[in-house]
Each structure stands twice: as C-alpha cells, then as structure tokens.
Amino acid sequence: MDVSVIEPIHATGTRPRREPAARTGCGVEATLSVIGGVWKPVLLFQLLRGKLRFNALCRLTPRATPRMITLQLRELEADGVVRRIVYPEVPPKVEYELTEFGQSLEPVLLAMRAWGQSFQARMDAAEAEPGGGSAQPRSICIAAG
C-alpha cells in the first residue's frame, strides 16, 4: 500500500509557516505559541498513544467542533509537531501522529495532566466543604501509553 505524507503547499512552493507572535525571549511564551489554547494540548495528549484518525480525535474531544480540531491540527502540522498521513483509498483515510519533535512534548503533557489532576482534586475538596460552591463536571483524560 502506498502511503504519502501530505504537506500543504503554498503558491511559493513551500510549507506554510505561521506568523510568529511578538516574542519576549521567554521559553514559556515560545512553548505556548506552539501548544497554547484549549484543544492543542488535548489533541497532542491523545496522539501520545500513536496514530489516530480524524474521527477518533473528534470522539476523544467531543466538546471541540470538527472545524476547531481541523484548525488546531493544521497549526500543529505547520509547526512540525504533528504529521498528517493520507492513504490513497476510497473513501480517503487520513491519520495524524506526532513527529519525533512532537514526541518531545510528552513530559510537558504528562506534567500538565498531573498538575490538572491535583488542581481538580483541590477544587473538589473545596466544593465538598460547607459553602464550597457548585460542582462542575470534569472532563476525563484517557491515559497515554
């Protein structure tokens, strides 16, 4: 089976590059320019498990619209973090996977998950106290690997 990795081509014949945000030189700012936002870290975390098709990513992130997922994946692809693989089938089969560079985000994403779980536990404990506030539904993060 012939498999091709599709890279979007512009009129200039090169891959698209996102316009860099005005940077202060801070490493945190550089990281957030690539993985910042609500859905990028969630998509990247899901891709830690390996290749996933677009519909699988949609099912794993039901609160994100397919259009938003598409836009986020395109930005991650343009930044060299995600690879889009198109299989020449009818109907077309498209998979997404982390590049080697994207895989280097694993410790960052796992640390984000651990911190988020601690934060959720803290908020749940505060809500359990008298006058602690209303309970908010929590999203479920599927363990990678």
Side-chain angles (χ1 to χ4, degrees):
M1 172 184 292
D2 184 26
V3 177
S4 60
V5 175
I6 302 298
E7 295 185 14
I9 303 296
H10 279 289
T12 61
T14 61
R15 284 184 65 198
R17 286 315 242 170
R18 292 192 315 130
E19 288 294 319
R23 294 212 170 105
T24 61
C26 173
V28 172
E29 185 178 359
T31 302
L32 287 175
S33 73
V34 176
I35 67 166
V38 175
W39 302 115
K40 284 182 184 178
V42 175
L43 294 169
L44 291 168
F45 186 83
Q46 298 301 341
L47 288 169
L48 286 175
R49 295 190 282 169
K51 291 179 188 177
L52 288 172
R53 294 180 71 170
F54 180 78
N55 285 335
L57 287 168
C58 288
R59 280 191 302 276
L60 292 167
T61 52
R63 294 180 59 198
T65 65
R67 173 145 172 78
M68 181 54 67
I69 293 171
T70 297
L71 293 173
Q72 301 292 274
L73 287 169
R74 284 181 186 166
E75 287 183 12
L76 290 167
E77 184 182 6
D79 286 333
V81 176
V82 169
R83 179 179 300 114
R84 180 176 185 254
I85 303 166
V86 178
Y87 296 88
E89 299 176 359
V90 178
K93 176 181 173 182
V94 178
E95 291 181 327
Y96 294 89
E97 69 179 349
L98 294 177
T99 61
E100 186 175 335
F101 179 58
Q103 291 171 1
S104 68
L105 287 166
E106 182 174 10
V108 175
L109 296 166
L110 294 177
M112 287 175 66
R113 179 185 63 179
W115 188 91
Q117 289 170 334
S118 295
F119 177 73
Q120 286 175 333
R122 179 183 174 134
M123 298 313 299
D124 290 344
E127 289 171 359
E129 293 176 9
S134 64
Q136 295 289 326
R138 303 284 184 217
S139 62
I140 298 174
C141 217
I142 298 171

